[in-house]
Amino acid sequence: MDIIKHTFEADIPTVFVPAASFPDGIKPAFNELCGKLKMQGRTLYGVTERVNGKWVYRACASDRGDTPDMPHYSIPAGTYLAYVLPDWEQHLPMIGQYFEWLLDHKDAKKDTIALEYYKTMDEVWLMVQHK
């Protein structure tokens, strides 16, 4: 499996819906997010991180400044290690293992976020921060 590097030159402002649970609450969080926003022209992201010892998941969409009533999250700029996963919906049960593989990489930042970057409807980039 090939790992590529990708750099976000600036922080990415997003709005989000938190998942009520992890991992079962992910799909409902995205459904709620998409129901609240006009999605055309927005990029979707998923962010998983440990907060106070527990996993927190945010279903995120790029912020256009038109949703002041929603919580905001800024995806950190920087270089990420990425695994490109085509037809991601066919591989849902494996996504956690792909992230574990990325997190074990010698160049992965300790205590990194796990980032899903939905490049297209069919392709997701699974990403962790580079140290």
Side-chain angles (χ1 to χ4, degrees):
M1 296 190 333
D2 293 330
I3 294 178
I4 62 171
K5 289 182 184 174
H6 181 77
T7 300
F8 293 114
E9 298 295 333
D11 289 351
I12 302 167
T14 70
V15 293
F16 73 92
V17 170
S21 63
F22 181 82
D24 295 333
I26 294 173
K27 185 169 181 148
F30 271 109
N31 289 342
E32 183 179 340
L33 177 73
C34 293
K36 287 183 173 187
L37 301 174
K38 292 181 181 175
M39 294 307 298
Q40 187 172 1
R42 292 189 196 262
T43 302
L44 291 176
Y45 304 91
V47 178
T48 306
E49 66 181 320
R50 262 180 112 56
V51 176
N52 298 324
K54 95 182 221 197
W55 291 109
V56 173
Y57 186 91
R58 295 175 183 94
C60 302
S62 49
D63 185 9
R64 294 193 280 202
D66 58 349
T67 54
D69 57 327
M70 291 185 70
H72 294 78
Y73 178 81
S74 188
I75 296 170
T79 301
Y80 287 74
L81 303 173
Y83 175 65
V84 178
L85 184 61
D87 300 319
W88 62 270
E89 287 186 282
Q90 303 299 317
H91 302 279
L92 278 176
M94 298 294 295
I95 288 178
Q97 290 176 331
Y98 292 134
F99 272 120
E100 288 295 329
W101 174 68
L102 283 166
L103 290 165
D104 286 341
H105 192 279
K106 65 179 178 58
D107 292 330
K109 179 180 174 185
K110 182 178 167 85
D111 298 324
T112 180
I113 63 170
L115 175 64
E116 302 156 15
Y117 173 25
Y118 293 89
K119 290 284 283 182
T120 68
M121 293 297 286
D122 296 321
E123 182 180 278
V124 65
W125 290 22
L126 307 176
M127 308 174 84
V128 296
Q129 293 166 300
H130 189 278
K131 58 178 160 180

